[in-house]
């Protein structure tokens, strides 16, 4: 079972427009919005990951091509820092880079396979118990939109900062309000 984790503490640290690189925190030991904890030093396949270090858009393995590659990762006790090199000459990837460059996008998320995990005590009894993932394999990490400010993405599209048609359509659809109950009931 593959899991994804959008860590609210993941953030951009440095941007180099000449090289199309972004240095960022891709995950931390802090609990995510669901209360789950992924221990950074529990990453077990860093060398294997770097043999095929793809960086995706929003964990989309089929709809969009990879947007770049991970040049290196630094596993620290409380976080993992990575440097992403975005694909040059690929409008979709360059658009995503520009969104980071302008601060419209800030989030990152890891896609991983847990090796060793345990349930955490406490929490809200109406929600599934949170997990602490002590050992895990990194499959990929992704540039992700966190819809805390969908207006920022809308402005970027309207100003022509995003030129790839597929990305424009995806971003517009990601922030359309949905009737969740209707979707669940049918």
């Amino acid at each position: 079972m593959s899991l994804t984790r959008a860590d609210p503490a993941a953030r951009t640290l440095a941007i180099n427009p000449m090289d199309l690189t972004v240095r960022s925190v891709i995950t931390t030991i802090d609990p995510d919005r669901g209360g789950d904890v992924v221990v950074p030093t529990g990453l077990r396949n860093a060398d294997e990951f770097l043999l095929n270090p793809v960086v995706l858009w929003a964990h989309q393995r089929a709809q969009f091509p990879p947007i770049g590659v991970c040049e290196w990762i630094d596993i620290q006790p409380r976080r993992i820092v990575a440097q992403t090199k975005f694909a040059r000459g690929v409008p979709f990837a360059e658009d995503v880079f520009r969104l980071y460059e302008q601060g419209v996008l800030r989030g990152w998320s890891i896609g991983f396979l847990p090796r060793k995990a345990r349930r955490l005590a406490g929490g809200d009894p109406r929600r599934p118990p949170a997990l602490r993932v002590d050992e895990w394999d990194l499959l990929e990490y992704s540039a992700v939109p966190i819809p805390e400010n969908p207006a920022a993405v809308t402005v970027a599209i309207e100003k022509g900062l995003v030129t790839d048609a597929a990305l424009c359509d995806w971003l517009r659809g990601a922030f359309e309000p949905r009737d969740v109950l209707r979707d669940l009931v049918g």
Side-chain angles (χ1 to χ4, degrees), residues 32-59:
D32 64 16
R33 288 186 173 96
D36 297 328
V37 173
V38 177
V39 178
T41 55
L43 176 59
R44 294 293 176 249
N45 72 329
D47 290 337
E48 177 186 304
F49 168 74
L50 289 171
L51 294 175
N52 185 34
V54 296
V55 178
L56 302 177
W57 166 251
H59 303 291

PDB file of all heavy atoms in Angstrom, residues 32-59:
ATOM      1  N   ASP A  32       1.255  15.441  10.757  1.00  0.00           N
ATOM      2  CA  ASP A  32       0.550  16.074   9.634  1.00  0.00           C
ATOM      3  C   ASP A  32      -0.880  16.384  10.069  1.00  0.00           C
ATOM      4  O   ASP A  32      -1.255  16.202  11.227  1.00  0.00           O
ATOM      5  CB  ASP A  32       0.621  15.200   8.380  1.00  0.00           C
ATOM      6  CG  ASP A  32      -0.087  13.868   8.516  1.00  0.00           C
ATOM      7  OD1 ASP A  32      -0.896  13.678   9.447  1.00  0.00           O
ATOM      8  OD2 ASP A  32       0.162  12.992   7.670  1.00  0.00           O
ATOM      9  N   ARG A  33      -1.685  16.863   9.144  1.00  0.00           N
ATOM     10  CA  ARG A  33      -3.051  17.263   9.484  1.00  0.00           C
ATOM     11  C   ARG A  33      -3.894  16.107  10.030  1.00  0.00           C
ATOM     12  O   ARG A  33      -4.836  16.320  10.764  1.00  0.00           O
ATOM     13  CB  ARG A  33      -3.721  17.891   8.269  1.00  0.00           C
ATOM     14  CG  ARG A  33      -3.162  19.251   7.962  1.00  0.00           C
ATOM     15  CD  ARG A  33      -3.937  19.940   6.847  1.00  0.00           C
ATOM     16  NE  ARG A  33      -3.452  21.301   6.714  1.00  0.00           N
ATOM     17  CZ  ARG A  33      -2.545  21.693   5.855  1.00  0.00           C
ATOM     18  NH1 ARG A  33      -2.011  20.832   5.025  1.00  0.00           N
ATOM     19  NH2 ARG A  33      -2.161  22.949   5.797  1.00  0.00           N
ATOM     20  N   GLY A  34      -3.558  14.884   9.677  1.00  0.00           N
ATOM     21  CA  GLY A  34      -4.274  13.722  10.188  1.00  0.00           C
ATOM     22  C   GLY A  34      -3.684  13.177  11.478  1.00  0.00           C
ATOM     23  O   GLY A  34      -4.166  12.191  12.018  1.00  0.00           O
ATOM     24  N   GLY A  35      -2.614  13.823  11.972  1.00  0.00           N
ATOM     25  CA  GLY A  35      -1.975  13.376  13.203  1.00  0.00           C
ATOM     26  C   GLY A  35      -0.870  12.354  12.995  1.00  0.00           C
ATOM     27  O   GLY A  35      -0.205  11.951  13.946  1.00  0.00           O
ATOM     28  N   ASP A  36      -0.668  11.900  11.747  1.00  0.00           N
ATOM     29  CA  ASP A  36       0.373  10.914  11.470  1.00  0.00           C
ATOM     30  C   ASP A  36       1.761  11.541  11.551  1.00  0.00           C
ATOM     31  O   ASP A  36       1.947  12.718  11.224  1.00  0.00           O
ATOM     32  CB  ASP A  36       0.190  10.304  10.079  1.00  0.00           C
ATOM     33  CG  ASP A  36      -1.107   9.533   9.944  1.00  0.00           C
ATOM     34  OD1 ASP A  36      -1.555   8.948  10.945  1.00  0.00           O
ATOM     35  OD2 ASP A  36      -1.679   9.517   8.836  1.00  0.00           O
ATOM     36  N   VAL A  37       2.729  10.733  11.961  1.00  0.00           N
ATOM     37  CA  VAL A  37       4.119  11.158  12.070  1.00  0.00           C
ATOM     38  C   VAL A  37       4.963  10.218  11.228  1.00  0.00           C
ATOM     39  O   VAL A  37       4.880   8.999  11.372  1.00  0.00           O
ATOM     40  CB  VAL A  37       4.597  11.107  13.546  1.00  0.00           C
ATOM     41  CG1 VAL A  37       6.091  11.377  13.634  1.00  0.00           C
ATOM     42  CG2 VAL A  37       3.803  12.083  14.398  1.00  0.00           C
ATOM     43  N   VAL A  38       5.775  10.782  10.332  1.00  0.00           N
ATOM     44  CA  VAL A  38       6.739  10.004   9.558  1.00  0.00           C
ATOM     45  C   VAL A  38       8.119  10.452  10.028  1.00  0.00           C
ATOM     46  O   VAL A  38       8.482  11.619   9.906  1.00  0.00           O
ATOM     47  CB  VAL A  38       6.567  10.230   8.038  1.00  0.00           C
ATOM     48  CG1 VAL A  38       7.641   9.472   7.264  1.00  0.00           C
ATOM     49  CG2 VAL A  38       5.177   9.803   7.581  1.00  0.00           C
ATOM     50  N   VAL A  39       8.877   9.519  10.590  1.00  0.00           N
ATOM     51  CA  VAL A  39      10.186   9.835  11.165  1.00  0.00           C
ATOM     52  C   VAL A  39      11.202   9.980  10.027  1.00  0.00           C
ATOM     53  O   VAL A  39      11.464   9.012   9.302  1.00  0.00           O
ATOM     54  CB  VAL A  39      10.623   8.729  12.158  1.00  0.00           C
ATOM     55  CG1 VAL A  39      12.004   9.025  12.727  1.00  0.00           C
ATOM     56  CG2 VAL A  39       9.580   8.575  13.267  1.00  0.00           C
ATOM     57  N   PRO A  40      11.789  11.178   9.843  1.00  0.00           N
ATOM     58  CA  PRO A  40      12.732  11.376   8.742  1.00  0.00           C
ATOM     59  C   PRO A  40      13.890  10.384   8.722  1.00  0.00           C
ATOM     60  O   PRO A  40      14.266   9.879   7.657  1.00  0.00           O
ATOM     61  CB  PRO A  40      13.229  12.811   8.963  1.00  0.00           C
ATOM     62  CG  PRO A  40      12.093  13.484   9.648  1.00  0.00           C
ATOM     63  CD  PRO A  40      11.528  12.431  10.572  1.00  0.00           C
ATOM     64  N   THR A  41      14.460  10.080   9.889  1.00  0.00           N
ATOM     65  CA  THR A  41      15.603   9.160   9.935  1.00  0.00           C
ATOM     66  C   THR A  41      15.192   7.708   9.705  1.00  0.00           C
ATOM     67  O   THR A  41      16.045   6.831   9.629  1.00  0.00           O
ATOM     68  CB  THR A  41      16.345   9.277  11.283  1.00  0.00           C
ATOM     69  OG1 THR A  41      15.402   9.065  12.338  1.00  0.00           O
ATOM     70  CG2 THR A  41      17.006  10.644  11.425  1.00  0.00           C
ATOM     71  N   GLY A  42      13.894   7.479   9.517  1.00  0.00           N
ATOM     72  CA  GLY A  42      13.400   6.138   9.205  1.00  0.00           C
ATOM     73  C   GLY A  42      13.444   5.815   7.722  1.00  0.00           C
ATOM     74  O   GLY A  42      13.134   4.687   7.314  1.00  0.00           O
ATOM     75  N   LEU A  43      13.860   6.786   6.888  1.00  0.00           N
ATOM     76  CA  LEU A  43      13.987   6.546   5.444  1.00  0.00           C
ATOM     77  C   LEU A  43      15.047   5.475   5.223  1.00  0.00           C
ATOM     78  O   LEU A  43      16.197   5.621   5.641  1.00  0.00           O
ATOM     79  CB  LEU A  43      14.366   7.834   4.712  1.00  0.00           C
ATOM     80  CG  LEU A  43      14.635   7.717   3.217  1.00  0.00           C
ATOM     81  CD1 LEU A  43      13.435   7.172   2.465  1.00  0.00           C
ATOM     82  CD2 LEU A  43      15.054   9.060   2.653  1.00  0.00           C
ATOM     83  N   ARG A  44      14.660   4.367   4.562  1.00  0.00           N
ATOM     84  CA  ARG A  44      15.555   3.225   4.418  1.00  0.00           C
ATOM     85  C   ARG A  44      16.104   3.017   3.011  1.00  0.00           C
ATOM     86  O   ARG A  44      17.014   2.207   2.828  1.00  0.00           O
ATOM     87  CB  ARG A  44      14.840   1.936   4.868  1.00  0.00           C
ATOM     88  CG  ARG A  44      14.513   1.910   6.335  1.00  0.00           C
ATOM     89  CD  ARG A  44      15.803   1.836   7.153  1.00  0.00           C
ATOM     90  NE  ARG A  44      15.547   1.905   8.569  1.00  0.00           N
ATOM     91  CZ  ARG A  44      15.883   2.942   9.339  1.00  0.00           C
ATOM     92  NH1 ARG A  44      16.473   3.984   8.820  1.00  0.00           N
ATOM     93  NH2 ARG A  44      15.631   2.923  10.621  1.00  0.00           N
ATOM     94  N   ASN A  45      15.579   3.693   2.005  1.00  0.00           N
ATOM     95  CA  ASN A  45      16.018   3.405   0.634  1.00  0.00           C
ATOM     96  C   ASN A  45      16.536   4.645  -0.099  1.00  0.00           C
ATOM     97  O   ASN A  45      16.343   4.782  -1.306  1.00  0.00           O
ATOM     98  CB  ASN A  45      14.870   2.770  -0.156  1.00  0.00           C
ATOM     99  CG  ASN A  45      13.772   3.761  -0.495  1.00  0.00           C
ATOM    100  OD1 ASN A  45      13.522   4.712   0.253  1.00  0.00           O
ATOM    101  ND2 ASN A  45      13.117   3.554  -1.621  1.00  0.00           N
ATOM    102  N   ALA A  46      17.212   5.535   0.585  1.00  0.00           N
ATOM    103  CA  ALA A  46      17.674   6.779  -0.041  1.00  0.00           C
ATOM    104  C   ALA A  46      18.541   6.511  -1.274  1.00  0.00           C
ATOM    105  O   ALA A  46      18.342   7.131  -2.326  1.00  0.00           O
ATOM    106  CB  ALA A  46      18.432   7.633   0.964  1.00  0.00           C
ATOM    107  N   ASP A  47      19.479   5.587  -1.182  1.00  0.00           N
ATOM    108  CA  ASP A  47      20.353   5.296  -2.327  1.00  0.00           C
ATOM    109  C   ASP A  47      19.549   4.745  -3.496  1.00  0.00           C
ATOM    110  O   ASP A  47      19.775   5.121  -4.651  1.00  0.00           O
ATOM    111  CB  ASP A  47      21.464   4.314  -1.936  1.00  0.00           C
ATOM    112  CG  ASP A  47      22.487   4.939  -0.997  1.00  0.00           C
ATOM    113  OD1 ASP A  47      22.613   6.183  -0.980  1.00  0.00           O
ATOM    114  OD2 ASP A  47      23.150   4.180  -0.262  1.00  0.00           O
ATOM    115  N   GLU A  48      18.617   3.852  -3.212  1.00  0.00           N
ATOM    116  CA  GLU A  48      17.755   3.289  -4.264  1.00  0.00           C
ATOM    117  C   GLU A  48      16.885   4.375  -4.900  1.00  0.00           C
ATOM    118  O   GLU A  48      16.749   4.444  -6.111  1.00  0.00           O
ATOM    119  CB  GLU A  48      16.875   2.195  -3.669  1.00  0.00           C
ATOM    120  CG  GLU A  48      15.891   1.599  -4.659  1.00  0.00           C
ATOM    121  CD  GLU A  48      14.944   0.633  -3.963  1.00  0.00           C
ATOM    122  OE1 GLU A  48      15.437  -0.313  -3.323  1.00  0.00           O
ATOM    123  OE2 GLU A  48      13.717   0.845  -4.073  1.00  0.00           O
ATOM    124  N   PHE A  49      16.305   5.250  -4.066  1.00  0.00           N
ATOM    125  CA  PHE A  49      15.483   6.339  -4.587  1.00  0.00           C
ATOM    126  C   PHE A  49      16.283   7.214  -5.554  1.00  0.00           C
ATOM    127  O   PHE A  49      15.792   7.604  -6.606  1.00  0.00           O
ATOM    128  CB  PHE A  49      14.919   7.205  -3.444  1.00  0.00           C
ATOM    129  CG  PHE A  49      14.307   8.487  -3.935  1.00  0.00           C
ATOM    130  CD1 PHE A  49      13.075   8.491  -4.585  1.00  0.00           C
ATOM    131  CD2 PHE A  49      14.970   9.698  -3.777  1.00  0.00           C
ATOM    132  CE1 PHE A  49      12.522   9.661  -5.062  1.00  0.00           C
ATOM    133  CE2 PHE A  49      14.427  10.876  -4.256  1.00  0.00           C
ATOM    134  CZ  PHE A  49      13.198  10.858  -4.891  1.00  0.00           C
ATOM    135  N   LEU A  50      17.529   7.507  -5.217  1.00  0.00           N
ATOM    136  CA  LEU A  50      18.346   8.397  -6.052  1.00  0.00           C
ATOM    137  C   LEU A  50      18.741   7.775  -7.394  1.00  0.00           C
ATOM    138  O   LEU A  50      19.244   8.471  -8.270  1.00  0.00           O
ATOM    139  CB  LEU A  50      19.572   8.871  -5.276  1.00  0.00           C
ATOM    140  CG  LEU A  50      19.239   9.861  -4.144  1.00  0.00           C
ATOM    141  CD1 LEU A  50      20.458  10.109  -3.277  1.00  0.00           C
ATOM    142  CD2 LEU A  50      18.671  11.156  -4.700  1.00  0.00           C
ATOM    143  N   LEU A  51      18.495   6.479  -7.590  1.00  0.00           N
ATOM    144  CA  LEU A  51      18.718   5.852  -8.900  1.00  0.00           C
ATOM    145  C   LEU A  51      17.632   6.268  -9.899  1.00  0.00           C
ATOM    146  O   LEU A  51      17.856   6.256 -11.108  1.00  0.00           O
ATOM    147  CB  LEU A  51      18.746   4.329  -8.764  1.00  0.00           C
ATOM    148  CG  LEU A  51      19.909   3.751  -7.962  1.00  0.00           C
ATOM    149  CD1 LEU A  51      19.732   2.243  -7.799  1.00  0.00           C
ATOM    150  CD2 LEU A  51      21.244   4.086  -8.623  1.00  0.00           C
ATOM    151  N   ASN A  52      16.449   6.601  -9.400  1.00  0.00           N
ATOM    152  CA  ASN A  52      15.327   7.057 -10.236  1.00  0.00           C
ATOM    153  C   ASN A  52      14.586   8.142  -9.453  1.00  0.00           C
ATOM    154  O   ASN A  52      13.463   7.936  -9.002  1.00  0.00           O
ATOM    155  CB  ASN A  52      14.385   5.897 -10.576  1.00  0.00           C
ATOM    156  CG  ASN A  52      13.294   6.322 -11.526  1.00  0.00           C
ATOM    157  OD1 ASN A  52      13.492   7.166 -12.399  1.00  0.00           O
ATOM    158  ND2 ASN A  52      12.104   5.766 -11.349  1.00  0.00           N
ATOM    159  N   PRO A  53      15.205   9.310  -9.296  1.00  0.00           N
ATOM    160  CA  PRO A  53      14.708  10.323  -8.359  1.00  0.00           C
ATOM    161  C   PRO A  53      13.632  11.249  -8.925  1.00  0.00           C
ATOM    162  O   PRO A  53      13.778  12.471  -8.954  1.00  0.00           O
ATOM    163  CB  PRO A  53      15.984  11.102  -8.031  1.00  0.00           C
ATOM    164  CG  PRO A  53      16.752  11.073  -9.316  1.00  0.00           C
ATOM    165  CD  PRO A  53      16.482   9.696  -9.889  1.00  0.00           C
ATOM    166  N   VAL A  54      12.535  10.673  -9.365  1.00  0.00           N
ATOM    167  CA  VAL A  54      11.500  11.483  -9.997  1.00  0.00           C
ATOM    168  C   VAL A  54      10.765  12.356  -8.989  1.00  0.00           C
ATOM    169  O   VAL A  54      10.549  11.980  -7.843  1.00  0.00           O
ATOM    170  CB  VAL A  54      10.469  10.624 -10.771  1.00  0.00           C
ATOM    171  CG1 VAL A  54      11.119   9.897 -11.919  1.00  0.00           C
ATOM    172  CG2 VAL A  54       9.743   9.675  -9.857  1.00  0.00           C
ATOM    173  N   VAL A  55      10.415  13.537  -9.479  1.00  0.00           N
ATOM    174  CA  VAL A  55       9.575  14.463  -8.729  1.00  0.00           C
ATOM    175  C   VAL A  55       8.321  14.662  -9.571  1.00  0.00           C
ATOM    176  O   VAL A  55       8.406  14.955 -10.769  1.00  0.00           O
ATOM    177  CB  VAL A  55      10.291  15.808  -8.471  1.00  0.00           C
ATOM    178  CG1 VAL A  55       9.376  16.774  -7.724  1.00  0.00           C
ATOM    179  CG2 VAL A  55      11.581  15.567  -7.686  1.00  0.00           C
ATOM    180  N   LEU A  56       7.175  14.453  -8.949  1.00  0.00           N
ATOM    181  CA  LEU A  56       5.899  14.494  -9.662  1.00  0.00           C
ATOM    182  C   LEU A  56       5.103  15.739  -9.314  1.00  0.00           C
ATOM    183  O   LEU A  56       5.424  16.458  -8.374  1.00  0.00           O
ATOM    184  CB  LEU A  56       5.065  13.253  -9.305  1.00  0.00           C
ATOM    185  CG  LEU A  56       5.685  11.889  -9.595  1.00  0.00           C
ATOM    186  CD1 LEU A  56       4.760  10.780  -9.114  1.00  0.00           C
ATOM    187  CD2 LEU A  56       5.994  11.736 -11.065  1.00  0.00           C
ATOM    188  N   TRP A  57       4.053  15.953 -10.082  1.00  0.00           N
ATOM    189  CA  TRP A  57       3.064  16.973  -9.772  1.00  0.00           C
ATOM    190  C   TRP A  57       1.904  16.288  -9.053  1.00  0.00           C
ATOM    191  O   TRP A  57       1.260  15.411  -9.628  1.00  0.00           O
ATOM    192  CB  TRP A  57       2.559  17.666 -11.037  1.00  0.00           C
ATOM    193  CG  TRP A  57       1.335  18.472 -10.786  1.00  0.00           C
ATOM    194  CD1 TRP A  57       0.063  18.198 -11.198  1.00  0.00           C
ATOM    195  CD2 TRP A  57       1.239  19.689 -10.044  1.00  0.00           C
ATOM    196  NE1 TRP A  57      -0.800  19.148 -10.758  1.00  0.00           N
ATOM    197  CE2 TRP A  57      -0.100  20.087 -10.036  1.00  0.00           C
ATOM    198  CE3 TRP A  57       2.172  20.475  -9.360  1.00  0.00           C
ATOM    199  CZ2 TRP A  57      -0.542  21.237  -9.386  1.00  0.00           C
ATOM    200  CZ3 TRP A  57       1.734  21.619  -8.719  1.00  0.00           C
ATOM    201  CH2 TRP A  57       0.391  21.985  -8.745  1.00  0.00           C
ATOM    202  N   ALA A  58       1.685  16.627  -7.791  1.00  0.00           N
ATOM    203  CA  ALA A  58       0.541  16.178  -7.001  1.00  0.00           C
ATOM    204  C   ALA A  58       0.351  14.659  -7.025  1.00  0.00           C
ATOM    205  O   ALA A  58      -0.776  14.180  -7.095  1.00  0.00           O
ATOM    206  CB  ALA A  58      -0.720  16.900  -7.455  1.00  0.00           C
ATOM    207  N   HIS A  59       1.439  13.926  -6.985  1.00  0.00           N
ATOM    208  CA  HIS A  59       1.430  12.456  -6.955  1.00  0.00           C
ATOM    209  C   HIS A  59       0.763  11.848  -8.194  1.00  0.00           C
ATOM    210  O   HIS A  59       0.345  10.692  -8.164  1.00  0.00           O
ATOM    211  CB  HIS A  59       0.763  11.926  -5.676  1.00  0.00           C
ATOM    212  CG  HIS A  59       1.401  12.422  -4.427  1.00  0.00           C
ATOM    213  ND1 HIS A  59       2.662  12.028  -4.030  1.00  0.00           N
ATOM    214  CD2 HIS A  59       0.968  13.301  -3.487  1.00  0.00           C
ATOM    215  CE1 HIS A  59       2.969  12.645  -2.896  1.00  0.00           C
ATOM    216  NE2 HIS A  59       1.963  13.420  -2.547  1.00  0.00           N
TER     217      HIS A  59
END
